Amino acid sequence: MVPRGHLKTFTVLLLEDEGRSGYAEGESVRGQVILELGSELSFLALRIHASGGARVSLTEFRHNNTVNEEEAKYLDLTDTLKEAGAGGVIMLCAGKHEFPFSFQLPHVPLVTSYSGKYGDIAYYVVAILEKPSASVQSARREFQVIRHIDVNVPSLLAPVSKCKEKMVGCLFFASGPISLNAKIERKGYCNGEAIRIYAEIENCSSRLIVPKAAIFQIQTYVSNGTTKTFRQILANVRGNHIASGSTDSWNGKPLKIPPVTPSILNCGHIRVEYSLAVYIHVPGAKKLMIELPLVIGTIPFNGFASRNVSATSHFSMDMSWLALALPEVPEAPPNYADVVSEEEFSRYIPPYPQPNDATSQSEFPCPMFALIQEFRYQPPPLYFEVDPHPSETEEHQQSVSFII
């Protein structure tokens, strides 16, 4: 016989959308609390609590292997699904009972869920069943949170390049330098994309060298002022041997990114960063390495932003000659008096007296050609069209006139 109040099943079920990789800030988390009873059950309240944060645990060997732990909370929400009145209880009969719930994540950037070597970032939905006997039962379900990173922003679309040179051998027995110049098309990538590597290697040493490339994940943990870093290789590729006095080129050598956690850059306790290392293995000497920073995002590259940046850069380059040809400040047009010399102007001024105001408009004290010569080197008259709606007295006049 099942004892009174026996709880057969107490669980939290999340109603996740198909294909969802995680919940982002501002999204709603929906689910059900399922109670399956073997007999009648009385309780005071059924609450739902959403919590999450970062937890770091570092062992300090210098202090007798003491464990240094620190936590940071990013989510803390509570909701009541069922609650009895003052001094009362809620009775549930035997059978299966479902209590739906829904809560919205805050509209602030949350930290992506992660589980690493020395800590994790986790989020949970916890159902709390309060009973009259003051005992509390709980059930929890973990859910994934993801902070989306768009790789199409200008800072992640810019190409990244570095160069380095290394002298092989000691001071008096140096065999020659090895130079490495590496470049990738952009800084931001997503899972499954292939990074195309461009590199120029010149081997002026006496050694046989081998160029290689690898994707590194760098995990950084901080707890109460103590920092620990862990690096691991995710994928690598190898080039051909380069003999002494030879060169080699990588013209877009592909290296595919495996499924990894997106970059975590907004957490003060756990950071997850990535880099592409292009290096040269030199027998009998330290490797020559170049590290190019990477950001692993969630919103994949669409190509449009890159084409716009490329087109703008190309246009700027093509039009650079125009900036060199044009003066910084446009020059004003020359004065009319500067074009015609004073001697030439005075040569054509007639020696006749100019008409005064008392002279009648119909009487000229000098020949007409003298007045014409006076205006020979003057600016041209203003041109304009007459009123398109002339009066009756002007209907038969010329449609073009001059002002002198």
Side-chain angles (χ1 to χ4, degrees):
M1 182 176 179
V2 179
R4 181 179 178 83
H6 179 72
L7 187 60
K8 296 172 64 177
T9 303
F10 182 28
T11 185
V12 178
L13 177 65
L14 293 180
L15 304 179
E16 298 179 344
D17 297 335
E18 186 177 355
R20 177 190 290 272
S21 58
Y23 297 92
E25 59 265 21
E27 293 185 344
S28 296
V29 180
R30 300 178 298 110
Q32 293 178 340
V33 176
I34 300 176
L35 291 173
E36 190 173 354
L37 307 176
S39 61
E40 190 177 64
L41 174 70
S42 62
F43 65 96
L44 297 177
L46 177 62
R47 309 184 195 280
I48 197 80
H49 180 64
S51 64
R55 180 188 60 85
V56 177
S57 178
L58 301 178
T59 302
E60 297 187 55
F61 298 101
R62 295 175 299 175
H63 300 85
N64 298 324
N65 296 343
T66 57
V67 179
N68 186 350
E69 292 187 352
E70 188 174 1
E71 295 184 0
K73 185 162 288 188
Y74 303 134
L75 180 65
D76 189 8
L77 300 173
T78 302
D79 192 16
T80 300
L81 303 182
K82 205 77 173 177
E83 186 176 23
V89 295
I90 299 174
M91 302 297 298
L92 289 180
C93 59
K96 185 177 180 181
H97 303 270
E98 298 177 352
F99 298 90
F101 66 85
S102 176
F103 62 89
Q104 188 177 33
L105 297 177
H107 289 274
V108 295
L110 297 173
V111 183
T112 301
S113 300
Y114 179 74
S115 179
K117 187 176 180 64
Y118 301 109
D120 56 39
I121 302 168
Y123 299 85
Y124 299 95
V125 177
V126 182
I128 303 170
L129 185 65
E130 301 175 4
K131 295 182 180 180
S133 59
S135 63
V136 175
Q137 286 184 278
S138 63
R140 74 176 188 173
R141 174 79 64 178
E142 183 178 0
F143 66 97
Q144 301 294 313
V145 167
I146 186 168
R147 185 195 180 193
H148 289 296
I149 301 176
D150 189 355
V151 303
N152 296 284
V153 297
S155 60
L156 300 184
L157 290 176
V160 185
S161 63
K162 284 184 181 180
C163 60
K164 200 172 185 180
E165 186 176 277
K166 176 183 179 67
M167 182 65 70
V168 178
C170 60
L171 181 61
F172 299 103
F173 301 97
S175 64
I178 300 174
S179 62
L180 172 62
N181 191 341
K183 175 185 176 181
I184 54 177
E185 296 173 323
R186 48 194 165 94
K187 185 178 179 180
Y189 292 87
C190 291
N191 289 337
E193 283 192 273
I195 304 175
R196 300 199 173 274
I197 309 169
Y198 299 86
E200 297 288 339
I201 308 107
E202 184 177 5
N203 183 15
C204 296
S205 70
S206 60
R207 315 284 178 88
L208 182 68
I209 62 175
V210 182
K212 300 178 182 179
I215 299 175
F216 280 89
Q217 183 187 70
I218 303 100
Q219 307 169 16
T220 305
Y221 302 87
V222 180
S223 177
N224 296 317
T226 303
T227 303
K228 188 168 288 190
T229 302
F230 176 72
R231 290 168 61 98
Q232 61 177 343
I233 294 180
L234 304 177
N236 54 37
V237 68
R238 178 190 178 113
N240 299 323
H241 290 79
I242 304 176
S244 174
S246 301
T247 60
D248 192 16
S249 299
W250 287 3
N251 297 316
K253 195 175 189 67
L255 179 56
K256 189 174 182 180
I257 301 174
V260 293
T261 303
S263 298
I264 300 177
L265 308 174
N266 62 331
C267 178
H269 297 276
I270 299 177
R271 288 178 65 89
V272 179
E273 300 169 282
Y274 297 90
S275 70
L276 173 71
V278 182
Y279 56 97
I280 297 176
H281 176 70
V282 184
K286 290 184 179 180
K287 64 181 68 173
L288 173 62
M289 177 182 288
I290 287 176
E291 282 202 75
L292 306 176
L294 295 175
V295 173
I296 305 300
T298 59
I299 301 176
F301 174 65
N302 57 31
F304 292 106
S306 176
R307 285 196 290 270
N308 291 339
V309 171
S310 176
T312 303
S313 176
H314 182 69
F315 178 78
S316 300
M317 180 178 62
D318 290 345
M319 297 299 290
S320 60
W321 64 268
L322 186 59
L324 298 175
L326 292 176
E328 295 183 1
V329 180
E331 296 181 0
N335 192 354
Y336 189 81
D338 298 334
V339 177
V340 181
S341 64
E342 187 175 345
E343 296 179 359
E344 187 176 11
F345 180 75
S346 60
R347 188 185 310 160
Y348 291 95
I349 295 180
Y352 303 102
Q354 302 297 319
N356 52 26
D357 296 337
T359 307
S360 174
Q361 205 171 23
S362 59
E363 298 177 359
F364 294 94
C366 60
M368 180 62 68
F369 75 89
L371 294 178
I372 297 176
Q373 292 292 336
E374 181 183 355
F375 295 100
R376 180 170 180 175
Y377 287 97
Q378 296 299 319
L382 297 177
Y383 169 81
F384 72 97
E385 295 185 3
V386 297
D387 188 354
H389 306 287
S391 60
E392 295 182 359
T393 58
E394 299 175 345
E395 285 184 357
H396 301 290
Q397 291 182 356
Q398 195 73 13
S399 60
V400 178
S401 61
F402 292 85
I403 296 178
I404 298 179

